[in-house]
């Protein structure tokens, strides 16, 4: 069998790799990516345009699922909650992660212990984290309220109050996430050559100036990654809502992913569930595109 | 010698191969029924399953016990896939219509002799004139109280007499006296703090109707004045009088707290009697009827677990044999002894007359005949129950009662639309 003339690509070093070979190496990864990412998205897109009859048959309903969502106040409430949550939790987590990374940058005597402590929550699954925080913040007998009482403060309702539930969720997500994101930023910090700081210091730049003129610009790449990955993780947050609040009190924690779950497993409405998932995907895609644009390297 | 060994080895190998082949043939003859069951304690499940295994050694059972807080979601996922799995599943009686409408239940009408069962059980098992689930137990909550705590406080406890039934107003006054925040002791709790099952009778007692007669409209029913009044009262247990421990939504928790002497009065299902007696033998407790409002009439909840067969099962005969065994008098008596739900077989009430001569069972019999109201019959009970459950949960935490119920009713109406 005559070999097909393969198109060739050249690399700067002059080493030439036939595209077919490159593709062959990438194929397993691309195949899995296609199977586990593209196919489910396609199924969701198609499914969001269908409804399921009581007897299980699927029927095409056009945009009816989306129309129903637009007319539903509980969807708007959930969208609002999701956006507020993400507008707070993402910047907060990144600022905290960066602050921690700066604190533990130089390995002085106790720093390894602190580094370990900060990344320890990574090892606890999100479901277990939820159970743990549900106990910690339990209003009547929880240890946090016990501590507050001992210090002379009034006990707080936390997850059981409409005003505090979302903030408690932010706290839980940050406890779990900050250490993890810190790791990437710490790696980025360690890659910044020390000479740059020294040179700037000799030129008379103070610590603040060095942070804004040297550290931050050189952290652009890891920061960009952390922004995108953190936003994705938080948009898809589900377990704490399922374990602790069930979307309540009064819808205060009804993140869109939980709404999607409820639509599928409580309301038995696959179409509605997939329509919510598609909207989450669209919002996420828009947000991530914007973030990537902001963090794009100049030049 | 060497050859002999080799020959022996060879014949041993042959024998092993033959054995394996025979074993496989035997395996092919054994049917395995996949059973999704409630996550009751092993000692309340294993004896039942073993009894069937003994009766039918040719049928193997693969039993999964799913915790109460996950059982309905699990069943939705499994049945929603519309495969032959599971063959048999535990079915909450008010969900019979919901499953039947969606084709998740085999019609058991030819298989069940309705005359053997109480009328309430057959009603709960039926949808549009056919029997879709096999009645396995009924239910009735009573008021359990801790005798020692009443003695200590010098308060006369409620009597096990339906004619001297306490009112909720009366109960709250006593609960206030029995509550002691310093000792972490509470006057009263519901076993199910958020479940419509246990809480619908509050509104029904004041004349409320939980759902429209056609089972498809909640607005104007569950958000009507009776339910608003009843649930405002319920809310005050947590927020104003502070006699009930808030947030114990897992039904095991209030029972545990009652068993530890931290809750003085507990409205809970009869099946808890065995649990309390066995797990907390130090607690001396009495029983009284489910309370009512002073201005209302006594109403109690009922209905419980049934058994359903997946119509897509590939082992229909074996599955029906399972149903037959579980509907037998012998097994239902065993079940009653393991977990005392009010029996659904008439003959069990007769045969176990000595058992039913206690205060608790006298109350239960009266309630089942006179005050029990089943949960609303609707194919959308799954949605109805869950939306209302979240609303009740919010109300216990202080949400505006009228607004919460109205929002829930609208949500229920939206979801019931599909059954019209």
């Amino acid at each position: 069998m005559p070999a097909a003339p393969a198109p060739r690509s050249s690399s700067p070093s002059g080493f030439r790799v036939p595209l077919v070979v490159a593709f062959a190496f990438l194929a397993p990864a691309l195949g899995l990516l296609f199977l586990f990412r593209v196919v489910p998205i396609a199924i969701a897109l198609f499914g969001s345009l269908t409804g399921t009859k009581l007897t299980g048959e699927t029927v095409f309903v056009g945009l009816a699922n989306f129309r129903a969502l637009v007319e539903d106040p509980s969807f708007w409430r959930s969208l609002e909650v999701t956006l507020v949550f993400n507008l707070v939790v993402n910047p907060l987590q990144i600022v905290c992660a960066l602050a921690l990374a700066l604190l533990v940058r130089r390995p002085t005597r106790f720093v390894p212990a602190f580094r370990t402590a900060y990344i320890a929550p990574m090892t606890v699954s999100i479901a277990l984290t939820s159970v743990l925080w549900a106990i910690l913040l339990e209003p009547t007998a929880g240890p946090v309220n016990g501590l507050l009482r001992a210090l002379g403060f009034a006990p707080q309702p936390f997850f059981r109050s409409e005003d505090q539930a979302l903030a408690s969720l932010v706290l839980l997500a940050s406890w779990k996430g900050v250490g993890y994101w810190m790791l990437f930023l710490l790696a980025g910090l360690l890659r910044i050559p020390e000479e740059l700081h020294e040179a700037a210091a000799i030129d008379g730049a103070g610590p603040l100036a060095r942070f804004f003129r040297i550290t931050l610009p050189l952290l652009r790449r890891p920061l960009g990654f952390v922004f995108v990955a953190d936003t994705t993780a938080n948009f898809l947050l589900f377990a704490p809502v399922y374990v602790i609040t069930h979307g309540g009190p009064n819808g205060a924690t009804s993140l869109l992913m939980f709404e999607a779950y409820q639509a599928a497993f409580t309301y038995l409405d696959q179409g509605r569930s997939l329509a919510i998932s598609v909207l989450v995907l669209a919002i996420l895609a828009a947000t991530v595109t914007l973030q990537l644009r902001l963090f794009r390297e100049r030049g | 010698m060497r050859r002999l060994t080799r020959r022996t080895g060879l014949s041993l190998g042959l024998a092993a191969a033959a054995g394996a082949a025979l074993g496989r043939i035997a395996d092919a003859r054994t049917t395995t029924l996949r059973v999704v069951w409630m996550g009751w304690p092993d000692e309340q499940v294993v004896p039942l399953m073993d009894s069937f295994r003994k009766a039918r050694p040719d049928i193997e059972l693969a039993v999964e016990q799913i915790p109460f807080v996950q059982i309905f979601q699990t069943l939705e996922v499994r049945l929603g896939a519309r495969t032959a799995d599971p063959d048999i599943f535990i079915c909450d009686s008010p969900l019979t219509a919901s499953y039947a409408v969606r084709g998740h239940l085999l019609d058991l009408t030819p298989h069940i002799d309705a005359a053997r069962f109480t009328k309430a059980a057959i009603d709960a098992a039926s949808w549009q004139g056919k029997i879709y689930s096999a009645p396995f137990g009924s239910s009735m909550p009573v008021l359990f109280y801790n005798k020692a705590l009443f003695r200590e406080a010098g308060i006369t406890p409620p009597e096990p007499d339906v004619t001297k039934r306490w009112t909720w107003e009366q109960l709250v006054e006593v609960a206030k006296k029995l509550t002691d925040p310093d000792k972490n002791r509470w006057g009263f709790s519901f076993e199910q703090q958020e479940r419509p099952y246990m809480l619908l009778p509050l509104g029904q007692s004041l004349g409320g109707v939980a759902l429209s007669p056609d089972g498809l409209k909640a607005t104007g029913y569950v958000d009507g004045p009776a339910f608003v009044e009843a649930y405002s009262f319920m809310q005050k247990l947590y927020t104003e009088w502070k006699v009930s421990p808030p947030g114990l939504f897992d039904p095991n928790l209030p029972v545990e707290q009652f068993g530890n002497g931290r809750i003085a009065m507990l409205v809970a299902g009869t099946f808890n009697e065995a649990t309390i007696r066995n797990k907390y033998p130090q607690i001396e407790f009495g029983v009284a009827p489910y309370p009512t409002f002073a201005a209302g009439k006594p109403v109690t909840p009922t209905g419980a677990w049934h058994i359903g067969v997946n119509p897509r099962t590939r082992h229909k005969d074996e599955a029906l044999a399972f149903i037959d065994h579980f509907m037998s008098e012998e097994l239902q008596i065993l079940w009653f002894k393991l977990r005392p739900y009010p029996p659904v077989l008439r003959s069990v009430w007769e045969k176990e007359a000595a058992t039913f001569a206690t205060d608790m069972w006298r109350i239960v019999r009266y309630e089942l005949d006179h005050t029990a109201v089943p949960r609303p019959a609707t194919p959308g009970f799954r949605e109805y129950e869950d939306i209302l459950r979240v609303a009740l949960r919010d109300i216990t935490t202080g949400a505006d009662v009228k607004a919460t119920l109205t929002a829930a009713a609208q949500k229920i109406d939206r979801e019931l639309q599909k059954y019209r």
Side-chain angles (χ1 to χ4, degrees):
Chain A
M1 203 168 93
R8 284 166 184 272
S9 67
S10 60
S11 65
S13 64
F15 182 70
R16 295 166 82 84
V17 181
L19 260 184
V20 176
V21 175
F23 185 75
F25 275 106
L26 286 173
L30 286 177
L32 292 176
L33 209 61
F34 182 78
L35 192 65
F36 291 111
R37 287 284 180 270
V38 182
V39 171
I41 289 175
I43 293 174
L45 275 174
F46 177 73
S48 68
L49 305 176
T50 65
T52 313
K53 280 195 187 169
L54 294 177
T55 40
E57 299 105 63
T58 309
V59 281
F60 187 78
V61 296
L63 293 174
N65 289 324
F66 292 96
R67 213 173 302 130
L69 283 181
V70 173
E71 288 164 6
D72 178 11
S74 62
F75 167 74
W76 287 107
R77 166 89 158 141
S78 172
L79 182 66
E80 184 197 328
V81 168
T82 310
L83 292 180
V84 169
F85 175 73
N86 277 284
L87 282 174
V88 175
V89 79
N90 291 312
L92 180 77
Q93 285 192 1
I94 290 163
V95 169
C96 291
L98 184 59
L100 290 186
L102 288 168
L103 281 173
V104 299
R105 184 159 69 111
R106 279 175 238 277
T108 50
R109 197 161 163 211
F110 296 108
V111 160
F114 278 104
R115 280 185 187 172
T116 314
Y118 295 152
I119 61 169
M122 260 173 62
T123 60
V124 184
S125 77
I126 183 72
L128 203 56
T129 304
S130 309
V131 174
L132 199 69
W133 280 93
I135 295 171
L136 285 172
L137 297 183
E138 209 286 317
T140 7
V144 171
N145 266 341
L147 189 70
L148 285 179
R149 254 185 238 117
L151 295 173
F153 295 101
Q156 299 299 314
F158 298 117
F159 284 114
R160 228 167 284 146
S161 122
E162 210 174 323
D163 304 323
Q164 295 182 4
L166 198 62
S168 305
L169 204 59
V170 168
L171 175 74
L172 181 157
S174 304
W175 179 83
K176 172 102 177 95
V178 165
Y180 181 67
W181 304 119
M182 178 202 78
L183 269 189
F184 295 94
L185 299 179
L186 184 61
L189 280 178
L190 295 176
R191 278 190 57 205
I192 300 174
E194 200 53 33
E195 299 83 47
L196 287 179
H197 284 285
E198 281 166 14
I202 291 167
D203 288 346
L208 268 184
R210 286 195 310 247
F211 175 73
F212 284 106
R213 296 288 171 81
I214 297 172
T215 312
L216 221 43
L218 289 174
L219 266 185
R220 184 180 280 272
R221 277 172 69 97
L223 263 180
F225 166 76
V226 167
F227 250 101
V228 169
D230 193 19
T231 309
T232 313
N234 285 320
F235 258 100
L236 301 183
L237 195 73
F238 165 76
V241 182
Y242 175 77
V243 173
I244 310 172
T245 63
H246 293 228
N250 215 359
T253 55
S254 66
L255 296 179
L256 280 171
M257 285 313 284
F258 184 72
E259 282 290 308
Y261 158 82
Q262 274 214 308
F265 298 110
T266 305
Y267 309 152
L268 323 172
D269 191 342
Q270 282 290 340
R272 179 188 170 89
S273 174
L274 292 173
I276 296 175
S277 308
V278 166
L279 287 176
V280 172
L281 186 71
I283 296 170
L284 198 51
T287 315
V288 167
T289 311
L290 193 73
Q291 288 175 338
L292 288 176
R293 208 166 260 253
L294 278 173
F295 283 92
R296 190 185 289 162
E297 303 259 5
R298 286 191 202 110
Chain B
M1 188 67 185
R2 220 176 142 204
R3 277 185 63 184
L4 193 68
T5 317
R6 195 179 286 165
R7 193 170 289 172
T8 319
L10 210 66
S11 48
L12 271 176
L14 257 174
L22 275 174
R24 207 161 291 160
I25 291 165
D27 273 349
R29 280 193 195 146
T30 315
T31 308
T32 300
L33 286 179
R34 284 162 299 189
V35 181
V36 171
W37 208 249
M38 245 293 286
W40 290 305
D42 274 353
E43 66 269 19
Q44 296 176 356
V45 175
V46 176
L48 303 174
M49 300 301 162
D50 282 349
S51 153
F52 179 75
R53 287 186 183 109
K54 216 169 125 194
R56 289 295 299 266
D58 57 324
I59 303 174
E60 190 36 59
L61 296 177
V63 183
E64 286 171 67
Q65 287 159 253
I66 314 285
F68 182 55
V69 290
Q70 282 158 17
I71 182 93
F72 302 120
Q73 293 92 322
T74 307
L75 282 171
E76 278 316 318
V77 177
R78 299 282 282 274
L79 296 172
R82 294 185 184 270
T83 66
D85 171 60
D87 299 287
I88 288 169
F89 58 97
I90 197 92
C91 163
D92 196 18
S93 62
L95 286 174
T96 300
S98 167
Y99 293 140
V101 160
R102 291 181 288 145
H104 293 325
L105 284 172
L106 186 73
D107 177 6
L108 297 174
T109 318
H111 227 77
I112 293 211
D113 177 8
R116 292 175 61 223
F117 295 88
T118 60
K119 186 183 171 299
I122 290 298
D123 286 349
S126 306
W127 173 246
Q128 296 187 333
K130 287 179 178 170
I131 300 174
Y132 281 100
S133 58
F136 192 49
S138 184
S139 71
M140 180 55 63
V142 289
L143 176 66
F144 292 95
Y145 65 90
N146 183 322
K147 285 185 174 170
L149 294 180
F150 270 81
R151 250 196 321 268
E152 214 174 88
I155 301 169
T156 318
E159 286 183 54
D161 181 346
V162 287
T163 62
K164 292 174 186 158
R165 189 189 299 270
W166 271 18
T167 63
W168 286 112
E169 291 84 351
Q170 203 176 350
L171 178 136
V172 165
E173 288 315 310
V174 172
K176 283 181 195 164
K177 290 179 194 145
L178 292 168
T179 300
D180 185 348
D182 293 334
K183 288 186 185 159
N184 192 12
R185 183 186 294 151
W186 303 89
F188 169 77
S189 180
F190 286 103
E191 172 206 9
Q192 303 180 8
Q193 293 187 344
E194 56 165 10
R195 300 276 170 172
Y197 163 74
M198 193 159 272
L199 305 173
L200 279 176
L202 297 176
Q204 291 164 330
S205 164
L206 291 173
V209 177
L211 197 62
S212 66
D214 66 358
L216 297 172
K217 195 164 171 58
T219 302
Y221 291 90
V222 83
D223 61 344
F227 285 99
V228 173
E229 188 187 335
Y231 294 144
S232 300
F233 185 93
M234 179 189 85
Q235 183 175 61
K236 288 181 192 158
L237 294 172
Y238 304 95
T239 58
E240 193 181 316
W241 305 315
K242 295 188 165 71
V243 295
S244 284
L248 301 186
F249 299 123
D250 181 333
N252 293 314
L253 297 177
V255 177
E256 196 179 297
Q257 302 266 314
F258 179 78
N260 290 328
R262 297 204 181 285
I263 291 174
M265 293 180 279
L266 181 77
V267 160
T270 52
F271 49 86
N272 288 293
E273 196 222 29
T275 315
I276 299 169
R277 214 168 350 96
N278 298 331
K279 235 172 128 182
Y280 309 100
Q282 75 284 4
I283 287 284
E284 196 194 337
F285 63 92
V287 286
Y290 186 104
T292 182
F293 281 110
K297 60 175 198 293
V299 173
T300 54
T302 187
W305 299 102
H306 288 198
I307 307 172
V309 176
N310 182 349
R312 294 169 290 268
T313 176
R314 281 191 283 270
H315 310 294
K316 197 170 146 189
D317 292 340
E318 290 85 352
L320 289 174
F322 182 94
I323 295 292
D324 285 344
H325 189 78
F326 274 66
M327 294 303 106
S328 72
E329 188 184 286
E330 178 199 3
L331 193 121
Q332 295 234 347
I333 289 178
L334 172 64
W335 170 229
F336 168 74
K337 296 211 160 134
L338 294 171
R339 196 172 168 90
Y341 284 110
V344 286
L345 276 184
R346 291 177 196 279
S347 62
V348 176
W349 284 100
E350 287 152 22
K351 288 239 166 104
E352 294 292 306
T355 315
F356 296 120
T358 64
D359 287 341
M360 183 175 88
W361 289 109
R362 262 197 296 270
I363 295 170
V364 169
R365 274 206 104 150
Y366 175 87
E367 306 281 39
L368 286 173
D369 287 340
H370 297 92
T371 64
V373 173
R375 279 160 280 181
T378 168
F381 189 76
R382 168 93 184 100
E383 298 90 317
Y384 176 88
E385 209 252 351
D386 212 69
I387 294 168
L388 193 56
R389 177 181 70 81
V390 173
L392 289 168
R393 175 186 267 247
D394 287 349
I395 287 172
T396 66
T397 62
D400 182 84
V401 178
K402 173 70 186 159
T404 305
L405 288 177
T406 303
Q410 284 167 355
K411 232 174 177 178
I412 293 168
D413 286 349
R414 181 190 80 204
E415 294 305 327
L416 293 186
Q417 204 65 28
K418 58 178 171 287
Y419 300 105
R420 286 186 178 273

